Amino acid sequence: MSHLLSCHSLKRQQGDRVLLSVDQLVLELGQTYLLTGANGAGKTTLLRALAGLDSARCANFEFEGVQRSLSPYPRKLHRRIGFVHHHPILFSTSVVANITFGLHATGASRPEAAQRADAAITWAGIRPLVDTPPQALSAGEKQRVALARVHAMDPVLYLLDEPTANLDENGRDLVTRLIDAISKEGRTLLIACHDRELLNLSGVTRLNMTAGRLEVAS
Ligand SMILES: Nc1ncnc2c1ncn2[C@@H]1O[C@H](COP(=O)(O)OP(=O)(O)OP(=O)(O)O)[C@@H](O)[C@H]1O
Ligand SMILES: [Mg+2]
């Protein structure tokens, strides 16, 4: 396997408080990582830093073999790295408009955005939801729309923050199947989750966070 992402001394500080202090993080191409840790351990903070949503410092950040900075975060990485929030925020427009929004924002033409959104809707099995107002969707349905939205961008790295938390068994199953499909497409996933809901996925690497520090779990 080859490195997709590597960084050293990844730090995020708020005032005097160190929220993140990761000596080394290496993500291999095509691998799925489950990131566990107690509430407040820093899982979301790590995902948000890698997605460029919060600033963080890093001694040596390499992505797809190219030296990058985390701060300022390169625009190009927003297409390569997709983040899905624990409670995805959807615009009160339509499911399709939610999926095409990011595509338009990153320069896709109207026909291309429409075609990619349509493919993502098929992929996620959410065609029956396209006429439902986004704000009326259930938590599991929102999560699947959010996964379709990020899948339409075709990122190489997916950062998923507790994608199955608070879902019933059926919702968990549907979301897990999409995650499994992403993994089978050869993409890399870093998924924050809690021990009690560890996803039923094979061949994963477990990472654990404690007080902003990262370790490979046994
Ligand atoms: N903007 C901020 N300012 C100050 N503290 C923050 C900020 N963002 C996060 N924190 C703190 O950083 C720590 C890590 O939070 P984070 O949300 O990353 O934890 P988590 O592992 O995702 O927890 P959970 O399992 O509850 O989702 C927490 O103590 C939190 O209060
Ligand atoms: Mg969190």
Side-chain angles (χ1 to χ4, degrees):
M1 277 192 280
S2 55
H3 292 357
L4 173 67
L5 177 154
S6 65
C7 62
H8 300 270
S9 298
L10 175 59
K11 287 193 168 43
R12 176 164 159 77
Q13 209 162 333
Q14 200 75 31
D16 284 345
R17 201 166 155 217
V18 177
L19 305 183
L20 209 54
S21 180
V22 172
D23 291 341
Q24 189 182 26
L25 172 66
V26 176
L27 301 179
E28 306 288 354
L29 201 60
Q31 182 62 26
T32 296
Y33 299 85
L34 295 185
L35 178 64
T36 55
N39 291 133
K43 303 181 294 296
T44 299
T45 304
L46 174 60
L47 298 188
R48 289 181 61 86
L50 295 177
L53 299 173
D54 288 327
S55 65
R57 286 182 292 116
C58 186
N60 194 342
F61 178 48
E62 202 176 299
F63 190 78
E64 295 185 302
V66 179
Q67 290 282 340
R68 300 273 188 194
S69 92
L70 256 188
S71 221
Y73 194 82
R75 256 179 87 83
K76 193 177 171 192
L77 285 195
H78 287 298
R79 267 203 94 144
R80 305 300 290 154
I81 301 180
F83 173 78
V84 180
H85 195 277
H86 173 33
H87 294 297
I89 295 160
L90 301 178
F91 304 115
S92 309
T93 48
S94 69
V95 166
V96 173
N98 269 277
I99 296 173
T100 52
F101 180 81
L103 293 163
H104 290 312
T106 51
S109 66
R110 268 180 194 282
E112 186 195 352
Q115 185 272 322
R116 290 172 78 122
D118 195 65
I121 286 165
T122 302
W123 171 83
I126 54 170
R127 189 138 337 254
L129 305 178
V130 293
D131 293 325
T132 307
Q135 61 277 19
L137 296 170
S138 74
E141 290 167 345
K142 278 187 184 148
Q143 189 64 229
R144 284 157 59 215
V145 170
L147 281 168
R149 179 165 64 181
V150 79
H151 191 263
M153 303 284 289
D154 194 25
V156 68
L157 172 61
Y158 286 74
L159 305 168
L160 309 183
D161 196 4
E162 302 198 39
T164 62
N166 309 321
L167 302 189
D168 65 14
E169 200 180 328
N170 184 48
R172 231 179 7 248
D173 194 41
L174 290 169
V175 168
T176 304
R177 272 193 242 166
L178 293 182
I179 293 171
D180 203 26
I182 292 167
S183 164
K184 290 198 168 82
E185 288 165 12
R187 298 319 196 190
T188 304
L189 294 114
L190 178 58
I191 309 171
C193 60
H194 283 277
D195 276 321
R196 63 181 175 277
E197 56 185 335
L198 268 186
L199 299 163
N200 189 18
L201 299 166
S202 54
V204 298
T205 301
R206 287 189 60 178
L207 305 172
N208 189 64
M209 288 202 87
T210 309
R213 296 183 177 276
L214 191 64
E215 60 200 25
V216 179
S218 51

